[in-house]
Amino acid sequence: MQITLVVADITDQVVDAVVNAANSSLLGGGGVDGAIHRRGGPQILEACRALRAGHLGGGLPTGQAVATTAGDLKARWVIHTVGPVYSRADDRSQLLASCYRESLCVADDLEASTVAFPAISAGVYGWPADDAARIAVSTVRATASDVDEVRFVLFSQTMYDHFAEALGG
Ligand code: ADP
């Protein structure tokens, strides 16, 4: 598996699957989530509502992942995953690692060969950027998957630099 880094908007990516840093309601939010629903159109929300009406009645638990259509995005699927809210008192690193692992597992089920990830939990959920990058890179590296390319799509040069450091270290 190849790991690549780019400073870009994840909603512009031409990949098989785009990972969404969703919240457990799956009904939309700010940040990446808002951008994906805006650009992807109403089909994504419709698919999320159907999941909530079915086996995800209580919402998607933190650390887990589920796929829907990507609507009007250039990708084929959106893989929604719920990152943990950062806490200094409580080590939630395993939940953040689980987001990357579970998303790759869903990507394998879909036979996706290219997957774009944002910096999960590193926005509104408050995870320190250097640690979020380290967990992202080390987890993806340690996960066995048939995905050919994992592309981390970072929204700022600063976040890119944190990922570059994690990749080089
Ligand atoms: P979380 O709630 O998991 O923290 P956010 O969406 O608030 O998720 O932020 C996660 C990361 O994604 C942050 O680094 C944020 O700057 C970045 N981000 C926000 N919008 C986009 C976008 N359109 N493409 C790529 N990254 C984005």
Side-chain angles (χ1 to χ4, degrees):
M1 179 207 289
Q2 202 193 350
I3 298 179
T4 56
L5 308 180
V6 62
V7 178
D9 183 330
I10 204 164
T11 64
D12 288 327
Q13 297 298 303
V14 181
V15 283
D16 293 325
V18 164
V19 176
N20 181 18
N23 60 55
S24 67
S25 81
L26 291 178
L27 300 179
V32 180
D33 199 8
I36 285 174
H37 281 283
R38 261 192 313 278
R39 289 286 295 278
Q43 282 180 57
I44 301 176
L45 190 56
E46 233 171 79
C48 288
R49 287 215 172 96
L51 289 170
R52 288 297 308 273
H55 74 290
L56 291 176
L60 181 65
T62 305
Q64 296 192 21
V66 68
T68 66
T69 174
D72 298 332
L73 296 180
K74 292 165 193 157
R76 295 173 67 187
W77 301 284
V78 172
I79 298 173
H80 306 264
T81 189
V82 182
V85 174
Y86 180 72
S87 162
R88 280 218 260 174
D90 181 26
D91 181 6
R92 299 174 181 166
S93 308
Q94 281 310 313
L95 284 169
L96 184 53
S98 174
C99 288
Y100 290 97
R101 260 197 313 272
E102 292 299 316
S103 295
L104 285 173
C105 181
V106 170
D108 277 347
D109 289 344
L110 296 168
E111 299 185 21
S113 56
T114 51
V115 179
F117 279 97
I120 299 165
S121 289
V124 171
Y125 283 2
W127 210 286
D130 54 348
D131 200 46
R134 186 184 58 74
I135 292 168
V137 168
S138 63
T139 305
V140 167
R141 269 188 177 146
T143 303
S145 160
D146 292 328
V147 170
D148 290 329
E149 182 192 353
V150 165
R151 189 180 308 165
F152 288 109
V153 181
L154 295 325
F155 216 37
S156 68
Q157 185 62 45
T158 307
M159 190 61 81
Y160 178 98
D161 292 344
H162 286 297
F163 274 74
E165 166 124 27
L167 205 52

